[in-house]
Amino acid sequence: MNIHLITQPFLDQFPGDFSGDTMQRQTPKMLFATVEPALFTNYKTITFNQELSNDIGLGSFEPEDEAFLAAQDLPKNIRTYATAYAGHQFGQWAGQLGDGRAILAGEIQNTSRETTEIQWKGAGATPYSRFADGRAVLRSSVREYLMSEAMHHLGVPTTRALSLAETGEMVTRDILYNGNPKQEKGAVVIRTAPSFIRFGHFQLLTAQNEIDTLKNLADFCIQRYFREIKTDEPQPYHQFFKKIAETTANLMVEWQRVGFTHGVMNTDNMSILGLSIDYGPFSMLDEYDLNFTPNTTDLPGRRYAFGRQAEMAQWNLWQLGNALFPLINDVDFIEQTLEDFGTDFWNQYDQMMCSKMGLDTFMKDTDVDFFTDWQNLMASLKLDYTLFFNALEKDVHLINWQDISYKSLHTEDLQRLNQWINSYQNRLALNKIAPNERLALMSQNNPKFTLRNYLLHECIEELNKGNISYFNQLLTALKNPYQETFPEWSIKRPKKYDEVVGCSTLSCSS
């Protein structure tokens, strides 16, 4: 691979701590700290994403590159570092946070002059590890690798996964934080993105009153990632904030489209590029439930529930607006941008839901009630989100609705379903597109395969036994999510997994 072409412009642009000391501590006035990855002597590569490597400019993998995948034996041109940021966690200000288990190698440029940052997750402690060890376990690393790739192939903006390797060491984790720790296999995943800069980077600088560095960071982002904005034109920071709000609205719509629940939408987990980032206690929807949250830590208030994600994104943007206020200095503009976010989200959401149902346009006068009835039907009958839309593409009169419901359907339930189907068919009659165009629209927006948590659970169990075939099959399936490659996985969650940890609920333990 072209490891020798990796550069670190971030280190040259911003103040940092070059001591290499990984002792957990505050690093005031610093945006990063250089760190050395942990030493792993028995690492082993599980998988490598050659297609992604080619796309970003790293090129072909050679046997001598295996050490790099585990952050070992790095060349001198790579000065590894972790960045500092702050944030609100579950709505509460948490102060300095930072890359606690992530270490950056720098960035690579491809032939189209596009740059991509390369980051190890699980390669050791940093000053921002907050009394943790900076390691990651195989369980969480498999989830991150597969889910980020699944989201990419679904067409959802996301970070990507380049490689997955076992470290050869055991790591102790208490998966439910209930006093029952156990040892698990350690692992390192390399993830990539145009940038890993988060809302929290700006929050940290404003909280520390580092306004010059705040401006430099905003200029850095605009010049590299928002090139349509000119820093020498009036109000560049207004446009910067507005663009972030727009891409975030689009991301929230995409999450709703495919049924993704992030689980921990803290401001430090929000990308300025509108990317899905930090795959922890996430889940794809099984039964439709706006109040569903996969994160056990979030269960009391369900702050980050599936149906509240756009609301929480707007709240997070409010915090970003506060952080950028020294540059924008315009309360009315920030408030208007936040209001526009809501309008933008709902306009996109309404049209997206129409596309999923094969409707050519949203009719405000009638469709609000139509979709409200649909939501009530889905929730009360506990219908599977993905399978329901797949069923609408078929002859609905031949569907065994019990196969896609998580409750026992009674006669009155089936009658209610038939009533809604009749209203749906009446609504379809108002379409101005042909039936084949309707089906094409639906097939483009409704995946046949989603990476459900029970599949990840089974995959992790197989990998822990040394069997990689299940992992490879999932990779094949997730690369073609709009085709039914493996019909045996186009089913609702098996009942035996209803209460299994990792299949319905998870913690942030990784």
Side-chain angles (χ1 to χ4, degrees):
M1 295 189 295
N2 298 319
I3 300 170
H4 63 285
L5 297 180
I6 294 174
T7 60
Q8 295 95 14
F10 194 87
L11 271 60
D12 299 326
Q13 292 278 341
F14 299 104
D17 180 343
F18 286 91
S19 69
D21 185 0
T22 59
M23 182 182 72
Q24 283 84 53
R25 65 192 188 280
Q26 297 288 307
T27 58
K29 300 183 184 298
M30 304 296 176
L31 259 184
F32 66 86
T34 57
V35 295
E36 289 294 327
L39 179 64
F40 304 124
T41 56
N42 295 310
Y43 54 84
K44 180 180 68 174
T45 302
I46 296 174
T47 192
F48 179 77
N49 192 336
Q50 184 61 66
E51 181 181 3
L52 175 60
S53 184
N54 291 338
D55 288 345
I56 66 177
L58 269 179
S60 298
F61 174 78
E62 302 294 342
E64 60 267 24
D65 296 325
E66 186 170 20
F68 176 81
L69 305 187
Q72 304 299 298
D73 302 330
L74 301 177
K76 292 182 179 180
N77 65 295
I78 296 180
R79 299 171 292 170
T80 48
Y81 63 101
T83 65
Y85 47 80
H88 285 81
Q89 298 193 323
F90 296 94
Q92 302 299 314
W93 176 246
Q96 178 188 287
L97 297 166
D99 293 324
R101 72 175 82 246
I103 297 175
L104 282 142
E107 67 177 33
I108 189 78
Q109 187 178 91
N110 64 13
T111 54
S112 299
R113 302 182 65 82
E114 298 165 327
T115 57
T116 301
E117 289 187 346
I118 299 168
Q119 183 185 80
W120 295 279
K121 186 174 182 180
T126 78
Y128 315 113
S129 294
R130 301 187 294 284
F131 306 106
D133 56 17
R135 266 66 165 180
V137 296
L138 182 63
R139 164 177 50 85
S140 63
S141 302
V142 168
R143 285 173 54 82
E144 172 126 19
Y145 186 98
L146 289 176
M147 196 67 223
S148 60
E149 287 304 289
M151 293 286 270
H152 168 72
H153 291 288
L154 283 166
V156 181
T158 181
T159 58
R160 299 287 306 275
L162 180 67
S163 65
L164 175 64
E166 289 187 33
T167 62
E169 65 177 22
M170 301 300 288
V171 178
T172 302
R173 289 291 182 268
D174 185 350
I175 189 171
L176 288 179
Y177 303 127
N178 61 359
N180 293 294
K182 69 174 185 177
Q183 289 210 314
E184 302 183 54
K185 290 182 178 180
V188 173
V189 63
I190 293 183
R191 53 188 189 177
T192 71
S195 175
F196 285 97
I197 293 176
R198 307 145 185 269
F199 290 12
H201 284 98
F202 295 93
Q203 289 184 280
L204 176 70
L205 294 172
T206 301
Q208 295 180 343
N209 199 31
E210 294 292 328
I211 306 307
D212 288 343
T213 306
L214 177 75
K215 181 180 183 301
N216 291 341
L217 181 61
D219 290 344
F220 178 85
C221 292
I222 290 170
Q223 291 162 7
R224 296 174 66 85
Y225 315 120
F226 298 85
R227 293 177 180 172
E228 67 275 20
I229 302 173
K230 305 302 180 184
T231 54
D232 58 353
E233 292 182 358
Q235 301 183 328
Y237 309 114
H238 290 63
Q239 297 308 307
F240 178 53
F241 181 54
K242 185 176 179 64
K243 287 289 184 182
I244 295 173
E246 289 172 352
T247 56
T248 302
N250 174 71
L251 180 66
M252 294 303 104
V253 173
E254 285 297 290
W255 284 4
Q256 297 293 307
R257 180 177 69 84
V258 300
F260 176 77
T261 308
H262 185 278
V264 59
M265 287 178 62
N266 298 328
T267 58
D268 57 296
N269 293 336
M270 297 292 293
S271 161
I272 63 161
L273 302 182
L275 304 175
S276 309
I277 190 172
D278 289 342
Y279 291 93
F282 63 81
S283 180
M284 302 300 287
L285 274 188
D286 292 314
E287 62 265 40
Y288 180 80
D289 180 1
L290 292 175
N291 290 317
F292 169 71
T293 179
N295 186 356
T296 55
T297 309
D298 193 34
L299 283 175
R302 298 181 184 271
R303 177 181 177 86
Y304 298 137
F306 175 69
R308 296 192 66 192
Q309 291 182 123
E311 176 191 350
M312 290 300 99
Q314 188 179 45
W315 191 91
N316 290 341
L317 284 164
W318 174 31
Q319 307 313 314
L320 178 63
N322 288 337
L324 292 175
F325 182 76
L327 306 181
I328 297 174
N329 196 28
D330 187 339
V331 172
D332 291 341
F333 178 83
I334 291 174
E335 290 180 344
Q336 185 61 53
T337 301
L338 294 172
E339 184 177 330
D340 291 345
F341 168 89
T343 303
D344 189 20
F345 168 79
W346 284 112
N347 286 341
Q348 289 188 60
Y349 175 84
D350 290 339
Q351 190 55 53
M352 176 273 293
M353 289 303 302
C354 283
S355 297
K356 286 181 74 68
M357 290 197 182
L359 307 176
D360 57 354
T361 189
F362 182 75
M363 298 181 176
K364 189 173 182 179
D365 291 342
T366 57
D367 283 351
V368 172
D369 290 340
F370 172 76
F371 281 113
T372 299
D373 290 343
W374 168 78
Q375 287 183 326
N376 292 335
L377 177 81
M378 293 288 290
S380 61
L381 271 57
K382 296 186 180 298
L383 297 173
D384 188 278
Y385 186 68
T386 299
L387 298 180
F388 177 83
F389 288 106
N390 294 163
L392 288 189
E393 296 181 43
K394 304 172 184 176
D395 185 341
V396 292
H397 298 294
L398 300 179
I399 298 296
N400 183 347
W401 294 103
Q402 187 62 67
D403 288 344
I404 68 171
S405 174
Y406 293 89
K407 64 168 282 188
S408 295
L409 297 179
H410 301 294
T411 301
E412 58 270 25
D413 296 322
L414 296 174
Q415 289 174 342
R416 186 177 173 189
L417 252 171
N418 287 330
Q419 288 174 353
W420 186 87
I421 291 297
N422 288 335
S423 68
Y424 172 61
Q425 292 176 330
N426 290 335
R427 177 62 182 83
L428 282 179
L430 302 177
N431 259 1
K432 295 180 181 179
I433 56 175
N436 63 320
E437 293 177 292
R438 171 180 67 84
L439 290 174
L441 184 64
M442 296 176 76
S443 65
Q444 292 165 10
N445 285 277
N446 296 317
K448 303 295 186 297
F449 172 83
T450 57
L451 191 59
R452 299 173 189 259
N453 273 343
Y454 86 86
L455 295 174
L456 285 163
H457 175 77
E458 291 182 342
C459 176
I460 292 162
E461 287 197 324
E462 289 299 308
L463 276 175
N464 278 322
K465 297 174 186 175
N467 180 10
I468 198 172
S469 60
Y470 197 109
F471 178 92
N472 288 332
Q473 285 181 313
L474 284 181
L475 268 181
T476 299
L478 64 83
K479 288 178 180 178
N480 301 280
Y482 297 97
Q483 300 174 20
E484 199 172 67
T485 311
F486 293 88
E488 64 270 28
W489 289 338
S490 295
I491 60 172
K492 67 182 180 183
R493 182 188 66 241
K495 188 171 180 58
K496 66 179 180 178
Y497 290 122
D498 284 357
E499 303 299 329
V500 175
V501 175
C503 298
S504 54
T505 57
L506 306 101
S507 75
C508 295
S509 172
S510 60

